[in-house]
Amino acid sequence: MSGESKPWRPKLILASASVRRLELLQQIGLDPDALIPADLDETPNRGELPRVLAARLAAEKAEAAAKIAAQRPELEGAFLVAADTVVAVGRRILPKCEVVDEATQCLRLLSGRIHRVYTGVTLITPKGGRRRRLVESRVRFKRFSTDEIEAYLASGEWRGKAGGYAIQGLAGAFVVKLVGSYTGVVGLPLYETLSLLAGEGFPAHFFWLNRV
């Protein structure tokens, strides 16, 4: 290799261990320099609204990851992005399903009706600024047959997913209508995230011009 040095660019941290959020960033040409997941208690506060929970958890994940990043000199001056997604029917917040019974209840509740997906995004800038966005999407599912529910449960795709489904997978076949941000439902609204970064001087298009 030649001795040519790569052009300088600010570093980017994704405060998540989510494969889908990483893939979404990579889809728009952004490869994080570090993944720093935050281990938080995501239990809603008493009476907490779904949209408030999504915004709060995104902010708390960002703050927790920022404390870890501050101990790593190589990440000094980085931009940090965190997100959290909440699925709700009315004021009812659906869990991130870990057992079949939870997923079954969620799918039966979502069958044939409209639900809302809230994704909060928090950006921490190199100068310590905090910027936030909350994206709301409405999703209507078809009415499920018993066979469809059983087949989806057997797939295992529901495990660890808010509301018991992953729209980017098999559950995409359930969607009758979506109003809002598809990528927000997946886990990271790309338009809003890129707007936050660009608004704070992150040269997102630099990455596009230097994709070789």
Side-chain angles (χ1 to χ4, degrees), residues 5-58:
S5 60
K6 294 183 178 180
W8 176 87
R9 64 168 177 79
K11 292 185 177 180
L12 178 64
I13 299 168
L14 177 61
S16 176
S18 167
V19 172
R20 65 187 182 276
R21 291 193 175 110
L22 173 60
E23 289 175 343
L24 284 169
L25 274 183
Q26 291 173 333
Q27 177 183 320
I28 56 171
L30 303 185
D31 256 320
D33 297 276
L35 302 177
I36 305 181
D39 185 16
L40 299 178
D41 179 359
E42 299 187 9
T43 304
N45 294 326
R46 183 180 294 274
E48 190 169 31
L49 295 174
R51 62 186 303 114
V52 175
L53 176 64
R56 175 174 68 83
L57 290 178

Side-chain angles (χ1 to χ4, degrees), residues 48-103:
E48 190 169 31
L49 295 174
R51 62 186 303 114
V52 175
L53 176 64
R56 175 174 68 83
L57 290 178
E60 289 181 358
K61 286 179 179 180
E63 297 300 335
K67 289 180 181 179
I68 297 172
Q71 306 303 314
R72 296 174 56 177
E74 75 276 14
L75 296 178
E76 182 178 359
F79 288 78
L80 186 150
V81 173
D84 190 80
T85 301
V86 172
V87 176
V89 175
R91 295 169 62 99
R92 180 174 176 178
I93 296 169
L94 304 191
K96 292 183 179 178
C97 299
E98 297 297 342
V99 297
V100 170
D101 286 349
E102 282 183 328

Side-chain angles (χ1 to χ4, degrees), residues 87 155 158-159:
V87 176
S155 77
W158 51 269
R159 196 175 302 278

Side-chain angles (χ1 to χ4, degrees), residues 30 61 68 73 83 91 147-149 157 159 173-174 185 201 206:
L30 303 185
K61 286 179 179 180
I68 297 172
R91 295 169 62 99
D147 286 347
E148 284 173 324
I149 291 177
E157 274 196 358
R159 196 175 302 278
F174 299 155
V185 178
F206 167 89

